[in-house]
Amino acid sequence: MSILCHPDPVKLVMSLISAESGRIAQAIDSLSASHGRTDYISTFMPFEYTDYYTGEMGTGLKRRIIAFESLVPPGRLPDIKKSTNNLEAVLSPKGKRHVNIDPG
């Protein structure tokens, strides 16, 4: 029989996709203000795996992966996703998304 316990805190990582490097930089600044210092920021990588975002964000998409120093309880991830959705809206003038942020 297993024993119920609280899950350990987890490393918060995020994927950011945009055609605009400046939007990714803005997002990272805002995310750092909310979640603390980053301890990893990848180089820009071409995002060519799908054309899912093309209609909304255009072509020439690039991705950065970031990670934060502080660990978070895994139960916070739904609220973090809601906050990243709000940030996407703030960084998206005229209702068209310019950056995609996926926390995990």
Side-chain angles (χ1 to χ4, degrees):
M1 166 174 44
S2 64
I3 298 172
L4 295 178
C5 61
H6 292 284
D8 290 334
V10 296
K11 186 78 165 171
L12 179 59
V13 297
M14 297 189 189
S15 167
L16 296 90
I17 300 169
S18 181
E20 305 169 50
S21 302
R23 295 269 186 211
I24 291 177
Q26 283 181 293
I28 292 171
D29 288 345
S30 293
L31 293 165
S32 294
S34 300
H35 303 290
R37 290 193 326 210
T38 57
D39 61 2
Y40 176 78
I41 300 176
S42 74
T43 60
F44 285 101
M45 300 171 276
F47 185 78
E48 302 166 336
Y49 309 105
T50 178
D51 60 357
Y52 178 81
Y53 300 104
T54 303
E56 190 173 23
M57 296 194 297
T59 59
L61 297 176
K62 47 194 160 260
R63 167 186 267 169
R64 280 192 119 163
I65 305 293
I66 64 173
F68 295 89
E69 283 184 354
S70 298
L71 302 179
V72 298
R76 282 201 49 224
L77 288 175
D79 289 333
I80 292 170
K81 179 59 180 169
K82 289 176 189 173
S83 72
T84 60
N85 285 350
N86 291 336
L87 179 56
E88 286 179 6
V90 167
L91 297 175
S92 300
K94 301 179 185 174
K96 275 198 125 181
R97 190 165 48 160
H98 286 242
V99 62
N100 172 265
I101 307 167
D102 286 320

